[in-house]
Amino acid sequence: MQRDEIYLIDMWRILQREWRWFLAVLVVVLAAVFVFLRVAKPQWQADAWIQIGQVGAAPAGQDPKAEPLQRVLERLKLIPFQNQTLQSIGIGERTAEGRLYRHSFKLEPLPYAGPLIKLSVRAHSPELAKKLAEATVEQLKTVHHDAESMQLNFARARLAQVQEDLQQVTAERDHLQQVATQTKDGFAGLLLTSKSDEIRSLQQARSDLEARLSSTYTYDTSLMWPVYVPENPTFPSPVLTWGSGGVLGLFLGTLAAVWRNALRRRAAVAAATSRLVAELS
């Protein structure tokens, strides 16, 4: 009965017989890896963490963020937005750097961390990679600044109105206090109590607005931390490339040896068959 399985000892014997083919293919693959590493232009990756701006004094029921997370993600993926970012730092959209920027553009939403958005872009130098990441954030900040202006103006106008009302009611309370002291009028005392309650309410509203307009609750879209660019290029990675090339070379070399051994066996079987036919004839 003919065996269908190939054992390791059989494979080892095949490699021993066809070692020239195995070694030739392995050398060719490793040479290709060497040429690739010498020819490939290195790429550096910049990682940036974007904090979406918000207005803490937004009206009740309205999202304080300048733009919802999903809408920000879709905006960043738009080709016109990316082209505007490239134009802002003087890079043409059809240049090699522009194409690499768009093709390497990656976003990772972090909804439970602020929310934050992790942005990754690549360039052919670490300085340009960092510059592209910062320019992307600046472009988004410009868009969000226009959206936040209306809410900020409304909140500041509200704060100014509260401050004006507080001054007016305080003046009225002081006047009523003088009247109540001079005339001992009970009605003036009741009005004085009402004005004091109104002052406390306005002071609370002013404090709340001031707190919401502080940097804790109101801020622009910006980088959460400085842009990170590693010292070594992200692509090509010598270790990964040589490792992958070695494994591929071993695999293809083994296939070449098995293929050559199969041809030898077929030729041997054909020759034996021819001899047998000749003897029988």
Side-chain angles (χ1 to χ4, degrees):
M1 181 180 294
Q2 184 178 359
R3 295 183 306 168
D4 294 331
E5 298 85 357
I6 298 179
Y7 296 97
L8 291 179
I9 188 63
D10 298 329
M11 185 65 68
W12 173 249
R13 289 169 181 168
I14 291 174
L15 293 178
Q16 281 184 321
R17 287 193 299 267
E18 309 296 345
W19 65 270
R20 292 181 181 84
W21 285 80
F22 172 81
L23 185 61
V25 173
L26 178 60
V27 170
V28 169
V29 173
L30 294 180
V33 171
F34 176 78
V35 173
F36 172 76
L37 289 175
R38 295 298 298 270
V39 173
K41 200 171 183 180
Q43 300 175 6
W44 278 263
Q45 179 171 301
D47 295 326
W49 288 263
I50 305 174
Q51 177 180 245
I52 303 175
Q54 72 174 22
V55 178
Q62 183 174 340
D63 188 357
K65 293 294 181 183
E67 199 171 20
L69 176 61
Q70 291 300 323
R71 191 183 301 171
V72 174
L73 294 174
E74 294 301 322
R75 180 184 298 280
L76 289 171
K77 294 176 184 177
L78 293 175
I79 298 299
F81 177 88
Q82 296 175 6
N83 290 340
Q84 289 175 358
T85 301
L86 292 171
Q87 293 173 4
S88 68
I89 56 176
I91 297 179
E93 58 187 69
R94 297 185 179 180
T95 61
E97 293 292 353
R99 290 193 295 270
L100 178 58
Y101 167 75
R102 289 193 297 270
H103 293 162
S104 64
F105 202 93
K106 294 182 181 178
L107 298 172
E108 181 182 350
L110 306 173
Y112 301 108
L116 299 178
I117 299 175
K118 182 182 178 181
L119 165 70
S120 299
V121 295
R122 291 187 181 184
H124 292 303
S125 69
E127 295 79 13
L128 183 57
K130 181 179 180 181
K131 190 175 182 180
L132 285 168
E134 292 175 343
T136 304
V137 178
E138 284 299 319
Q139 185 68 24
L140 182 63
K141 179 180 178 180
T142 301
V143 175
H144 286 176
H145 180 74
D146 297 338
E148 292 173 335
S149 296
M150 182 178 298
Q151 292 187 14
L152 277 174
N153 292 336
F154 175 80
R156 288 165 181 163
R158 173 61 179 160
L159 179 61
Q161 182 63 46
V162 170
Q163 182 65 30
E164 182 180 347
D165 292 345
L166 180 60
Q167 293 176 353
Q168 180 179 353
V169 174
T170 301
E172 293 175 356
R173 185 201 60 182
D174 295 340
H175 175 70
L176 287 173
Q177 191 170 11
Q178 292 178 358
V179 171
T181 302
Q182 293 174 358
T183 63
K184 306 296 183 179
D185 188 356
F187 182 71
L190 291 176
L191 290 177
L192 182 62
T193 302
S194 176
K195 292 296 180 182
S196 297
D197 294 339
E198 188 175 354
I199 287 174
R200 283 192 294 271
S201 177
L202 289 172
Q203 288 176 338
Q204 179 64 35
R206 182 185 63 180
S207 298
D208 182 66
L209 282 172
E210 288 176 344
R212 292 181 176 276
L213 288 174
S214 66
S215 58
T216 303
Y217 299 100
T218 300
Y219 45 82
D220 290 328
T221 297
S222 61
L223 287 167
M224 192 67 179
W225 302 287
V227 176
Y228 172 71
V229 182
E231 296 181 0
N232 299 322
T234 303
F235 175 86
S237 173
V239 175
L240 181 60
T241 304
W242 278 115
S244 301
V247 172
L248 181 62
L250 293 174
F251 175 72
L252 293 180
T254 302
L255 285 182
V258 172
W259 174 76
R260 179 58 179 170
N261 182 72
L263 289 181
R264 285 181 183 274
R265 292 182 60 183
R266 181 179 299 176
V269 171
T273 303
S274 299
R275 287 195 301 269
L276 180 60
V277 171
E279 291 176 358
L280 293 176
S281 301

